[in-house]
Amino acid sequence: MEFLNYAYVFLWAALAVMVVIVGRKERLLACAVASFFVFMAVWYGLRAFGGIAVFDGVLGIVFRCVLGVFAAALGLIWYLSRRRKK
């Protein structure tokens, strides 16, 4: 199980790098998605390398709130970019 904690960190970081490289056309959307992946890499890194219980208690609530804000922001950015293209 310990291996998966480290694997998640590198997975989120690799996804962030991939989105930055591939998503150059969709500038704002790619930046928002990449920042989400960076947040996830840091959050899982705190758990894997720091041993902090980031999914319990207050930190778990903060995590869910940040995910909600990212979801709303990404949805709004996507909607506005599609509407602008039409």
Side-chain angles (χ1 to χ4, degrees):
M1 187 70 168
E2 191 70 25
F3 169 74
L4 285 178
N5 290 336
Y6 300 119
Y8 285 139
V9 174
F10 294 114
L11 171 76
W12 290 117
L15 285 171
V17 170
M18 185 184 76
V19 167
V20 168
I21 292 171
V22 174
R24 291 185 182 177
K25 235 172 36 176
E26 300 284 336
R27 294 177 190 234
L28 183 60
L29 185 62
C31 181
V33 171
S35 64
F36 169 72
F37 288 148
V38 167
F39 167 76
M40 293 296 286
V42 169
W43 201 261
Y44 276 83
L46 288 172
R47 181 178 72 167
F49 300 117
I52 301 171
V54 293
F55 297 112
D56 298 331
V58 174
L59 287 177
I61 294 169
V62 169
F63 178 72
R64 289 182 193 100
C65 290
V66 170
L67 286 184
V69 168
F70 267 116
L74 290 174
L76 182 65
I77 292 169
W78 177 82
Y79 175 73
L80 292 176
S81 69
R82 295 298 172 216
R83 193 172 132 198
R84 191 177 1 195
K85 286 184 180 179
K86 289 183 180 181

Coordinates of all heavy atoms in Angstrom, one line a residue:
M1 N 0.8 -1.2 0.0 CA 0.0 0.0 0.0 C 0.9 1.3 0.0 O 0.5 2.3 -0.6 CB -0.9 0.0 1.2 CG -1.9 1.1 1.2 SD -3.1 0.8 -0.1 CE -4.3 2.0 0.4
E2 N 2.0 1.2 0.6 CA 2.9 2.3 0.7 C 3.4 2.7 -0.7 O 3.5 3.9 -1.0 CB 4.1 2.0 1.6 CG 5.0 3.2 1.9 CD 4.3 4.2 2.8 OE1 3.4 3.8 3.6 OE2 4.6 5.4 2.8
F3 N 3.6 1.7 -1.6 CA 4.0 2.0 -2.9 C 3.0 2.8 -3.7 O 3.3 3.7 -4.5 CB 4.3 0.7 -3.7 CG 4.5 0.9 -5.2 CD1 5.7 1.4 -5.6 CD2 3.5 0.6 -6.1 CE1 5.9 1.6 -7.0 CE2 3.7 0.7 -7.4 CZ 4.9 1.3 -7.9
L4 N 1.7 2.5 -3.5 CA 0.7 3.3 -4.2 C 0.6 4.7 -3.8 O 0.3 5.6 -4.6 CB -0.7 2.6 -3.9 CG -1.0 1.3 -4.6 CD1 -2.3 0.8 -4.2 CD2 -0.9 1.6 -6.1
N5 N 1.0 5.0 -2.5 CA 1.0 6.4 -2.1 C 2.0 7.2 -2.9 O 1.8 8.3 -3.3 CB 1.3 6.5 -0.6 CG 0.2 6.0 0.3 OD1 -0.9 6.0 -0.1 ND2 0.6 5.6 1.5
Y6 N 3.2 6.6 -3.1 CA 4.2 7.3 -4.0 C 3.8 7.3 -5.4 O 4.1 8.3 -6.1 CB 5.5 6.6 -3.8 CG 6.0 6.6 -2.4 CD1 6.3 5.4 -1.7 CD2 6.3 7.8 -1.7 CE1 6.7 5.4 -0.4 CE2 6.7 7.8 -0.4 CZ 7.0 6.6 0.3 OH 7.4 6.6 1.6
A7 N 3.2 6.3 -5.9 CA 2.8 6.2 -7.3 C 1.7 7.3 -7.6 O 1.8 7.8 -8.7 CB 2.2 4.8 -7.6
Y8 N 0.8 7.5 -6.7 CA -0.2 8.6 -6.9 C 0.4 9.9 -7.1 O 0.0 10.7 -7.9 CB -1.2 8.6 -5.8 CG -2.2 7.5 -5.8 CD1 -2.6 6.8 -4.7 CD2 -2.8 7.0 -7.0 CE1 -3.5 5.8 -4.7 CE2 -3.7 6.0 -7.1 CZ -4.1 5.4 -5.9 OH -5.0 4.4 -5.9
V9 N 1.5 10.2 -6.3 CA 2.1 11.5 -6.4 C 2.7 11.7 -7.8 O 2.6 12.7 -8.4 CB 3.2 11.6 -5.3 CG1 4.0 12.9 -5.5 CG2 2.6 11.6 -3.9
F10 N 3.4 10.6 -8.2 CA 4.1 10.7 -9.5 C 3.1 10.7 -10.7 O 3.3 11.3 -11.7 CB 5.1 9.6 -9.7 CG 6.3 9.8 -8.7 CD1 6.5 8.9 -7.7 CD2 7.1 10.9 -8.8 CE1 7.5 9.1 -6.8 CE2 8.2 11.1 -8.0 CZ 8.4 10.2 -7.0
L11 N 2.0 10.0 -10.5 CA 0.9 10.0 -11.5 C 0.3 11.4 -11.7 O 0.1 11.9 -12.8 CB -0.2 9.0 -11.1 CG -1.5 9.1 -11.9 CD1 -1.2 8.4 -13.2 CD2 -2.6 8.4 -11.2
W12 N -0.1 12.1 -10.6 CA -0.6 13.4 -10.7 C 0.4 14.4 -11.3 O 0.0 15.2 -12.1 CB -1.1 13.9 -9.3 CG -2.3 13.2 -8.8 CD1 -2.3 12.4 -7.6 CD2 -3.6 13.1 -9.3 NE1 -3.6 11.9 -7.5 CE2 -4.4 12.3 -8.5 CE3 -4.2 13.7 -10.4 CZ2 -5.8 12.1 -8.7 CZ3 -5.5 13.5 -10.7 CH2 -6.3 12.7 -9.9
A13 N 1.6 14.3 -10.9 CA 2.6 15.2 -11.4 C 2.9 14.9 -12.9 O 3.0 15.9 -13.7 CB 4.0 15.0 -10.7
A14 N 2.9 13.7 -13.3 CA 3.0 13.4 -14.8 C 1.8 13.9 -15.6 O 2.0 14.4 -16.7 CB 3.2 11.9 -15.0
L15 N 0.6 13.8 -15.0 CA -0.6 14.3 -15.7 C -0.5 15.8 -15.8 O -0.9 16.4 -16.9 CB -1.8 13.9 -14.9 CG -2.3 12.5 -15.1 CD1 -3.4 12.1 -14.1 CD2 -2.7 12.2 -16.5
A16 N 0.0 16.5 -14.8 CA 0.2 18.0 -14.9 C 1.1 18.3 -16.0 O 0.8 19.2 -16.8 CB 0.6 18.5 -13.5
V17 N 2.3 17.7 -16.1 CA 3.2 17.9 -17.1 C 2.6 17.6 -18.5 O 2.8 18.4 -19.4 CB 4.5 17.2 -16.9 CG1 5.5 17.2 -18.1 CG2 5.2 17.6 -15.6
M18 N 1.9 16.5 -18.6 CA 1.3 16.2 -19.9 C 0.3 17.2 -20.4 O 0.3 17.6 -21.5 CB 0.7 14.8 -19.8 CG 0.2 14.3 -21.1 SD -0.7 12.7 -21.0 CE -2.2 13.3 -20.3
V19 N -0.5 17.7 -19.4 CA -1.5 18.7 -19.8 C -0.9 20.0 -20.2 O -1.4 20.6 -21.2 CB -2.5 18.9 -18.6 CG1 -3.4 20.1 -18.8 CG2 -3.4 17.7 -18.4
V20 N 0.2 20.4 -19.6 CA 0.9 21.6 -20.0 C 1.5 21.4 -21.4 O 1.4 22.3 -22.2 CB 2.0 21.9 -19.0 CG1 2.9 23.0 -19.5 CG2 1.4 22.4 -17.7
I21 N 2.0 20.3 -21.7 CA 2.6 20.1 -23.0 C 1.6 19.9 -24.1 O 1.7 20.6 -25.2 CB 3.5 18.8 -23.0 CG1 4.8 19.1 -22.1 CG2 4.0 18.4 -24.4 CD1 5.6 17.9 -21.8
V22 N 0.6 19.1 -23.9 CA -0.4 18.8 -24.9 C -1.5 19.9 -25.0 O -2.0 20.2 -26.1 CB -1.1 17.5 -24.6 CG1 -2.3 17.2 -25.5 CG2 -0.1 16.4 -24.7
G23 N -1.8 20.6 -23.9 CA -2.9 21.5 -24.0 C -2.6 23.0 -24.3 O -3.2 23.9 -23.7
R24 N -1.7 23.2 -25.1 CA -1.2 24.6 -25.4 C -2.3 25.3 -26.2 O -2.4 26.6 -26.1 CB 0.1 24.6 -26.2 CG 1.2 24.1 -25.3 CD 2.5 24.2 -26.1 NE 3.6 23.7 -25.2 CZ 4.8 23.7 -25.5 NH1 5.2 24.0 -26.7 NH2 5.7 23.2 -24.7
K25 N -3.2 24.6 -26.9 CA -4.2 25.3 -27.7 C -5.3 25.9 -26.7 O -5.7 27.0 -26.9 CB -4.9 24.3 -28.6 CG -4.8 24.9 -30.0 CD -5.2 24.0 -31.2 CE -6.3 23.0 -31.1 NZ -6.6 22.3 -32.3
E26 N -5.7 25.1 -25.8 CA -6.7 25.5 -24.8 C -6.0 26.2 -23.6 O -5.8 25.6 -22.5 CB -7.5 24.3 -24.3 CG -8.2 23.6 -25.4 CD -9.5 24.4 -25.9 OE1 -10.0 25.2 -25.1 OE2 -9.9 24.2 -27.0
R27 N -5.5 27.4 -23.7 CA -4.6 28.0 -22.7 C -5.2 28.0 -21.3 O -4.6 27.5 -20.4 CB -4.3 29.4 -23.2 CG -3.4 29.3 -24.4 CD -3.1 30.7 -24.9 NE -2.5 30.6 -26.2 CZ -1.4 31.2 -26.5 NH1 -0.7 31.8 -25.6 NH2 -0.9 31.1 -27.7
L28 N -6.4 28.7 -21.2 CA -6.9 28.8 -19.8 C -7.4 27.5 -19.2 O -7.1 27.2 -18.1 CB -8.0 29.9 -19.8 CG -8.7 30.2 -18.5 CD1 -7.6 30.8 -17.5 CD2 -9.8 31.2 -18.7
L29 N -8.1 26.7 -20.0 CA -8.5 25.4 -19.6 C -7.4 24.5 -19.2 O -7.4 23.9 -18.2 CB -9.4 24.8 -20.6 CG -10.1 23.5 -20.2 CD1 -11.0 23.7 -19.0 CD2 -10.9 22.9 -21.4
A30 N -6.4 24.5 -20.0 CA -5.2 23.6 -19.7 C -4.5 24.1 -18.5 O -4.0 23.3 -17.7 CB -4.2 23.6 -20.9
C31 N -4.4 25.4 -18.3 CA -3.7 25.9 -17.1 C -4.5 25.6 -15.9 O -3.9 25.2 -14.8 CB -3.6 27.4 -17.2 SG -2.8 28.2 -15.8
A32 N -5.8 25.6 -15.9 CA -6.7 25.3 -14.8 C -6.6 23.8 -14.5 O -6.5 23.4 -13.3 CB -8.1 25.7 -15.1
V33 N -6.6 23.0 -15.5 CA -6.5 21.5 -15.3 C -5.1 21.1 -14.7 O -5.0 20.3 -13.8 CB -6.8 20.7 -16.6 CG1 -6.5 19.3 -16.4 CG2 -8.3 20.9 -17.0
A34 N -4.1 21.8 -15.3 CA -2.7 21.5 -14.8 C -2.6 21.9 -13.3 O -1.9 21.2 -12.5 CB -1.7 22.2 -15.7
S35 N -3.2 23.1 -13.0 CA -3.1 23.5 -11.6 C -3.8 22.5 -10.7 O -3.4 22.3 -9.5 CB -3.6 24.9 -11.4 OG -5.0 25.0 -11.7
F36 N -4.9 22.0 -11.1 CA -5.6 21.0 -10.4 C -4.8 19.7 -10.1 O -4.7 19.2 -9.0 CB -6.9 20.5 -11.1 CG -7.6 19.3 -10.5 CD1 -8.2 19.4 -9.2 CD2 -7.5 18.1 -11.1 CE1 -8.8 18.3 -8.7 CE2 -8.1 17.0 -10.6 CZ -8.8 17.1 -9.3
F37 N -4.1 19.3 -11.2 CA -3.2 18.1 -11.1 C -2.0 18.4 -10.1 O -1.6 17.6 -9.4 CB -2.7 17.6 -12.4 CG -3.8 17.0 -13.2 CD1 -3.8 17.1 -14.6 CD2 -4.8 16.3 -12.6 CE1 -4.8 16.5 -15.4 CE2 -5.8 15.6 -13.4 CZ -5.8 15.7 -14.8
V38 N -1.5 19.6 -10.2 CA -0.4 20.0 -9.3 C -0.9 20.0 -7.8 O -0.2 19.5 -6.9 CB 0.2 21.4 -9.6 CG1 1.0 21.9 -8.5 CG2 0.9 21.3 -11.0
F39 N -2.1 20.5 -7.6 CA -2.7 20.5 -6.3 C -2.8 19.0 -5.8 O -2.5 18.7 -4.6 CB -4.1 21.2 -6.2 CG -4.9 20.9 -5.0 CD1 -4.6 21.5 -3.8 CD2 -5.9 19.9 -5.0 CE1 -5.3 21.2 -2.7 CE2 -6.6 19.7 -3.9 CZ -6.3 20.3 -2.7
M40 N -3.3 18.2 -6.6 CA -3.5 16.7 -6.2 C -2.1 16.1 -6.0 O -2.0 15.3 -5.0 CB -4.2 16.0 -7.3 CG -5.7 16.4 -7.5 SD -6.7 16.1 -6.1 CE -6.9 14.3 -6.2
A41 N -1.1 16.4 -6.7 CA 0.2 15.9 -6.5 C 0.8 16.3 -5.2 O 1.3 15.5 -4.4 CB 1.2 16.3 -7.6
V42 N 0.6 17.6 -4.9 CA 1.1 18.1 -3.6 C 0.3 17.5 -2.4 O 0.9 17.1 -1.4 CB 1.0 19.7 -3.6 CG1 1.2 20.2 -2.2 CG2 2.0 20.3 -4.5
W43 N -1.0 17.4 -2.6 CA -1.8 16.9 -1.5 C -1.5 15.4 -1.2 O -1.3 15.0 -0.1 CB -3.3 17.0 -1.9 CG -4.2 16.9 -0.7 CD1 -4.9 15.8 -0.2 CD2 -4.5 18.0 0.2 NE1 -5.6 16.2 0.9 CE2 -5.4 17.5 1.2 CE3 -4.2 19.3 0.3 CZ2 -5.9 18.3 2.2 CZ3 -4.7 20.1 1.3 CH2 -5.6 19.6 2.2
Y44 N -1.3 14.6 -2.3 CA -0.9 13.2 -2.1 C 0.5 13.1 -1.6 O 0.9 12.2 -0.9 CB -1.1 12.4 -3.4 CG -2.6 11.9 -3.5 CD1 -3.6 12.7 -4.0 CD2 -2.9 10.6 -3.1 CE1 -4.9 12.3 -4.2 CE2 -4.2 10.2 -3.2 CZ -5.2 11.0 -3.8 OH -6.5 10.5 -3.9
G45 N 1.3 14.1 -2.0 CA 2.7 14.1 -1.5 C 2.8 14.4 0.0 O 3.7 13.8 0.6
L46 N 1.9 15.2 0.5 CA 1.9 15.5 1.9 C 1.6 14.2 2.7 O 2.1 13.9 3.7 CB 0.9 16.5 2.2 CG 1.2 18.0 1.9 CD1 0.0 18.9 2.1 CD2 2.4 18.4 2.6
R47 N 0.7 13.4 2.1 CA 0.4 12.1 2.7 C 1.5 11.1 2.6 O 1.9 10.4 3.5 CB -0.9 11.5 2.1 CG -1.3 10.2 2.8 CD -2.5 9.6 2.2 NE -2.3 9.1 0.9 CZ -3.1 8.3 0.2 NH1 -4.3 8.0 0.7 NH2 -2.8 7.9 -1.0
A48 N 2.1 11.0 1.4 CA 3.1 9.9 1.1 C 4.4 10.3 1.8 O 5.0 9.4 2.4 CB 3.3 9.8 -0.4
F49 N 4.9 11.5 1.6 CA 6.2 11.9 2.1 C 6.2 12.5 3.5 O 7.2 12.4 4.2 CB 6.9 12.8 1.1 CG 7.1 12.2 -0.3 CD1 6.5 12.7 -1.4 CD2 7.9 11.0 -0.5 CE1 6.6 12.2 -2.6 CE2 8.0 10.5 -1.7 CZ 7.4 11.0 -2.8
G50 N 5.1 13.2 3.8 CA 5.1 13.8 5.1 C 4.4 13.1 6.2 O 4.5 13.4 7.4
G51 N 3.6 12.0 5.8 CA 2.9 11.3 6.8 C 1.7 12.0 7.4 O 1.3 11.6 8.5
I52 N 1.3 13.0 6.8 CA 0.1 13.8 7.3 C -1.2 13.2 6.9 O -1.3 12.8 5.7 CB 0.2 15.3 6.8 CG1 1.5 15.9 7.2 CG2 -1.0 16.1 7.3 CD1 1.8 17.2 6.6
A53 N -2.1 13.1 7.8 CA -3.4 12.5 7.5 C -4.3 13.6 6.8 O -5.1 14.2 7.4 CB -4.1 12.0 8.7
V54 N -4.1 13.7 5.5 CA -4.8 14.8 4.7 C -6.2 14.5 4.4 O -6.9 15.4 3.9 CB -4.0 15.2 3.5 CG1 -2.6 15.8 3.8 CG2 -3.8 14.0 2.6
F55 N -6.7 13.3 4.6 CA -8.1 13.0 4.2 C -8.9 12.8 5.4 O -10.1 12.3 5.3 CB -8.1 11.7 3.4 CG -7.4 11.9 2.0 CD1 -6.2 11.2 1.8 CD2 -7.9 12.7 1.1 CE1 -5.5 11.3 0.6 CE2 -7.2 12.9 -0.1 CZ -6.0 12.2 -0.4
D56 N -8.4 13.1 6.6 CA -9.2 13.0 7.8 C -9.4 14.4 8.5 O -8.6 15.3 8.3 CB -8.4 12.1 8.8 CG -8.2 10.7 8.3 OD1 -9.1 10.2 7.5 OD2 -7.2 10.1 8.7
G57 N -10.5 14.5 9.1 CA -10.8 15.7 9.9 C -11.0 16.9 9.1 O -11.6 16.9 8.0
V58 N -10.4 18.0 9.6 CA -10.5 19.3 8.9 C -9.8 19.3 7.6 O -10.3 19.9 6.6 CB -9.9 20.4 9.9 CG1 -9.9 21.8 9.2 CG2 -10.7 20.5 11.2
L59 N -8.7 18.7 7.5 CA -8.0 18.6 6.2 C -8.8 17.9 5.1 O -8.8 18.3 4.0 CB -6.6 18.0 6.3 CG -5.6 18.8 7.0 CD1 -4.3 18.0 7.2 CD2 -5.3 20.1 6.3
G60 N -9.6 16.9 5.5 CA -10.5 16.2 4.6 C -11.6 17.1 4.1 O -11.9 17.1 2.9
I61 N -12.1 18.0 5.0 CA -13.1 18.9 4.6 C -12.5 20.0 3.7 O -13.1 20.4 2.7 CB -13.7 19.6 5.9 CG1 -14.5 18.5 6.7 CG2 -14.6 20.8 5.5 CD1 -14.9 19.0 8.0
V62 N -11.3 20.5 4.0 CA -10.6 21.4 3.1 C -10.4 20.8 1.7 O -10.6 21.5 0.7 CB -9.3 21.9 3.7 CG1 -8.5 22.7 2.8 CG2 -9.6 22.7 5.0
F63 N -10.0 19.6 1.7 CA -9.8 18.9 0.4 C -11.0 18.8 -0.4 O -11.0 19.1 -1.6 CB -9.2 17.5 0.7 CG -9.0 16.6 -0.5 CD1 -8.0 16.9 -1.4 CD2 -9.9 15.6 -0.8 CE1 -7.7 16.1 -2.5 CE2 -9.7 14.8 -1.9 CZ -8.6 15.1 -2.8
R64 N -12.2 18.5 0.2 CA -13.4 18.4 -0.5 C -13.9 19.8 -1.0 O -14.4 19.9 -2.1 CB -14.5 17.8 0.4 CG -14.3 16.3 0.6 CD -15.4 15.7 1.4 NE -15.0 14.4 1.9 CZ -14.5 14.1 3.1 NH1 -14.4 15.0 4.0 NH2 -14.2 12.8 3.4
C65 N -13.7 20.8 -0.2 CA -14.0 22.1 -0.6 C -13.2 22.6 -1.8 O -13.7 23.2 -2.8 CB -13.9 23.1 0.5 SG -15.1 22.9 1.8
V66 N -11.9 22.3 -1.8 CA -11.0 22.7 -2.9 C -11.4 22.0 -4.1 O -11.4 22.5 -5.2 CB -9.5 22.5 -2.5 CG1 -8.6 22.7 -3.7 CG2 -9.1 23.5 -1.4
L67 N -11.7 20.7 -4.0 CA -12.2 19.9 -5.2 C -13.5 20.5 -5.7 O -13.6 20.6 -7.0 CB -12.4 18.4 -4.8 CG -11.2 17.6 -4.6 CD1 -11.5 16.2 -4.3 CD2 -10.2 17.7 -5.8
G68 N -14.4 20.9 -4.9 CA -15.6 21.5 -5.4 C -15.4 22.8 -6.1 O -16.0 23.1 -7.2
V69 N -14.5 23.7 -5.6 CA -14.1 24.9 -6.3 C -13.5 24.6 -7.6 O -13.8 25.3 -8.6 CB -13.2 25.8 -5.3 CG1 -12.6 26.9 -6.1 CG2 -14.0 26.2 -4.1
F70 N -12.5 23.7 -7.6 CA -11.9 23.3 -8.9 C -12.9 22.8 -9.9 O -12.9 23.2 -11.1 CB -10.8 22.3 -8.7 CG -9.4 22.8 -8.5 CD1 -8.8 22.7 -7.4 CD2 -8.8 23.6 -9.5 CE1 -7.5 23.2 -7.2 CE2 -7.6 24.1 -9.4 CZ -6.9 23.9 -8.2
A71 N -13.9 22.0 -9.5 CA -14.9 21.4 -10.4 C -15.8 22.5 -10.9 O -16.0 22.6 -12.1 CB -15.7 20.4 -9.6
A72 N -16.2 23.4 -10.1 CA -17.0 24.6 -10.5 C -16.2 25.5 -11.5 O -16.8 25.9 -12.5 CB -17.5 25.4 -9.3
A73 N -15.0 25.8 -11.2 CA -14.2 26.6 -12.0 C -13.9 26.0 -13.4 O -14.0 26.6 -14.4 CB -12.9 27.0 -11.3
L74 N -13.5 24.7 -13.4 CA -13.3 24.0 -14.6 C -14.5 23.9 -15.5 O -14.5 24.1 -16.7 CB -12.7 22.6 -14.4 CG -11.3 22.6 -13.8 CD1 -10.9 21.1 -13.4 CD2 -10.3 23.1 -14.8
G75 N -15.7 23.6 -14.8 CA -16.9 23.6 -15.6 C -17.3 24.9 -16.2 O -17.7 25.0 -17.4
L76 N -17.1 26.0 -15.5 CA -17.3 27.4 -16.0 C -16.4 27.7 -17.1 O -16.8 28.3 -18.1 CB -17.2 28.4 -14.8 CG -17.5 29.8 -15.2 CD1 -19.0 30.0 -15.6 CD2 -17.2 30.7 -14.0
I77 N -15.1 27.5 -16.9 CA -14.1 27.8 -18.0 C -14.5 27.0 -19.2 O -14.4 27.5 -20.4 CB -12.7 27.5 -17.5 CG1 -12.3 28.5 -16.4 CG2 -11.7 27.5 -18.6 CD1 -11.0 28.1 -15.7
W78 N -14.8 25.7 -19.1 CA -15.1 24.9 -20.3 C -16.4 25.4 -21.0 O -16.4 25.5 -22.2 CB -15.3 23.4 -19.8 CG -15.8 22.6 -20.9 CD1 -14.9 22.0 -21.9 CD2 -17.1 22.2 -21.3 NE1 -15.7 21.3 -22.8 CE2 -17.0 21.4 -22.4 CE3 -18.3 22.4 -20.7 CZ2 -18.1 20.8 -23.0 CZ3 -19.5 21.9 -21.3 CH2 -19.4 21.1 -22.5
Y79 N -17.4 25.7 -20.2 CA -18.6 26.2 -20.8 C -18.4 27.6 -21.5 O -18.9 27.7 -22.6 CB -19.7 26.4 -19.7 CG -21.0 27.1 -20.2 CD1 -21.9 26.3 -21.0 CD2 -21.3 28.4 -19.9 CE1 -23.0 26.9 -21.4 CE2 -22.4 29.0 -20.4 CZ -23.3 28.2 -21.1 OH -24.4 28.8 -21.6
L80 N -17.7 28.5 -20.9 CA -17.4 29.8 -21.6 C -16.6 29.6 -22.8 O -16.8 30.3 -23.8 CB -16.8 30.7 -20.6 CG -17.7 31.2 -19.4 CD1 -16.9 32.0 -18.4 CD2 -18.9 31.9 -19.9
S81 N -15.6 28.7 -22.8 CA -14.7 28.5 -24.0 C -15.5 27.9 -25.1 O -15.3 28.2 -26.3 CB -13.5 27.7 -23.6 OG -13.9 26.3 -23.4
R82 N -16.4 27.0 -24.8 CA -17.3 26.4 -25.9 C -18.3 27.4 -26.4 O -18.6 27.4 -27.6 CB -18.0 25.2 -25.3 CG -17.1 24.0 -25.0 CD -16.4 23.5 -26.2 NE -15.4 22.6 -25.7 CZ -14.2 22.5 -26.3 NH1 -13.8 23.2 -27.3 NH2 -13.3 21.6 -25.8
R83 N -18.8 28.2 -25.5 CA -19.8 29.2 -26.0 C -19.1 30.3 -26.8 O -19.7 30.8 -27.8 CB -20.4 29.9 -24.7 CG -21.6 30.7 -25.0 CD -22.3 31.1 -23.7 NE -22.5 32.5 -23.9 CZ -22.7 33.3 -22.9 NH1 -22.7 32.8 -21.6 NH2 -23.0 34.6 -23.1
R84 N -17.9 30.6 -26.5 CA -17.1 31.6 -27.3 C -16.8 31.1 -28.7 O -16.7 31.9 -29.6 CB -15.9 32.0 -26.5 CG -15.2 33.2 -27.0 CD -14.0 33.5 -26.2 NE -13.8 32.6 -25.1 CZ -13.0 32.8 -24.1 NH1 -12.3 33.9 -24.0 NH2 -12.9 31.9 -23.1
K85 N -16.6 29.8 -28.8 CA -16.2 29.3 -30.1 C -17.4 29.2 -31.1 O -17.2 29.2 -32.3 CB -15.6 27.9 -30.0 CG -14.3 27.8 -29.4 CD -13.7 26.5 -29.4 CE -12.3 26.5 -28.8 NZ -11.7 25.2 -28.7
K86 N -18.6 29.2 -30.6 CA -19.8 29.2 -31.4 C -20.1 30.5 -31.9 O -19.9 31.4 -32.4 CB -21.0 28.7 -30.7 CG -20.9 27.2 -30.4 CD -22.2 26.8 -29.7 CE -22.1 25.3 -29.4 NZ -23.2 24.8 -28.8

